[in-house]
């Protein structure tokens, strides 16, 4: 158990519910609790997936909307979201969190339920420090999943111009 996870979950749910009930942006409320970033917004165009021995494996494809129009994002998952590409370039990686949420309610989608046509906000957040060790990166970073690039902490990605 990661210390503070239950409390964080409670705070997150409370913030999302309060924002939605007050007509405020629930995604912004979630990002405030998570100290996270809005990575992307758009509409899911498709989800390719298969049921494998390891679990549910696939990719969610999103076309940008609003400030993200003209751009694309895809998110690869093996049960949980592990790698996000922005315009076909590696962008954010596990072990940091990549969350697909309903932009109207702030509630997260599971990979079993998200489908083509769903509006989506893609959120990113730092993982608990214990998952940033060299050993943890070796077991949760992009190379562990078979991708030929190194983990870059999300805060470095988000502070990099471009």
């Amino acid at each position: 158990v990661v210390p503070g996870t239950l409390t964080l979950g409670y705070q997150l749910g409370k913030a999302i519910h309060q924002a939605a009930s007050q007509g405020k942006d629930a995604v912004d409320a979630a990002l405030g609790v998570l100290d996270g970033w809005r990575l992307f917004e758009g509409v899911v165009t498709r989800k390719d997936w298969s049921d494998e021995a390891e679990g549910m494996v696939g990719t969610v494809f999103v076309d940008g909307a609003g400030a993200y129009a003209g751009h694309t994002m895809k998110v690869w998952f093996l049960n949980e979201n592990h790698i996000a590409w922005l315009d076909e370039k590696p962008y954010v990686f596990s072990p940091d969190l990549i969350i697909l949420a309903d932009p109207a309610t702030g509630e997260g989608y599971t990979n079993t339920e998200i489908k083509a046509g769903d509006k989506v906000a893609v959120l990113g957040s730092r993982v608990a420090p214990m998952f940033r060790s060299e050993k943890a990166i070796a077991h949760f970073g992009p190379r562990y999943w078979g991708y030929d690039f190194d983990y870059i902490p999300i805060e470095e990605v988000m502070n990099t111009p471009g």
Side-chain angles (χ1 to χ4, degrees):
V1 175
V2 178
T5 300
L6 294 177
T7 300
L8 178 63
Y10 173 78
Q11 292 169 341
L12 183 59
K14 183 177 177 182
I16 289 169
H17 176 74
Q18 284 180 340
S21 68
Q22 296 171 1
K24 296 180 181 175
D25 188 323
V27 170
D28 282 346
L31 292 171
V33 172
L34 294 170
D35 190 25
W37 294 268
R38 189 181 303 245
L39 303 176
F40 201 76
E41 273 198 27
V43 177
V44 175
T45 57
R46 77 180 204 260
K47 175 178 73 176
D48 296 340
W49 70 278
S50 61
D51 186 7
E52 299 183 15
E54 302 87 7
M56 185 178 187
V57 180
T59 304
V60 174
F61 298 83
V62 184
D63 279 351
Y68 304 93
H71 298 279
T72 61
M73 179 163 277
K74 64 182 180 181
V75 178
W76 178 81
F77 60 87
L78 191 160
N79 299 323
E80 296 85 22
N81 301 321
H82 290 287
I83 301 176
W85 286 264
L86 178 61
D87 296 330
E88 296 300 321
K89 295 178 185 162
Y91 189 47
V92 174
F93 327 105
S94 64
D96 288 323
L97 304 178
I98 302 166
I99 303 160
L100 305 178
D102 182 325
T105 65
E107 294 184 19
Y109 287 109
T110 64
N111 285 318
T112 55
E113 69 185 354
I114 198 164
K115 62 190 179 314
D118 285 341
K119 292 180 180 178
V120 65
V122 183
L123 290 63
S125 179
R126 291 174 191 90
V127 72
M130 66 190 291
F131 290 107
R132 291 246 177 122
S133 70
E134 188 175 316
K135 184 176 181 180
I137 299 302
H139 288 90
F140 298 108
R143 291 193 184 279
Y144 178 79
W145 306 113
Y147 292 95
D148 190 23
F149 44 85
D150 292 323
Y151 167 74
I152 301 170
I154 190 171
E155 64 273 15
E156 290 181 28
V157 172
M158 300 313 294
N159 288 327
T160 301

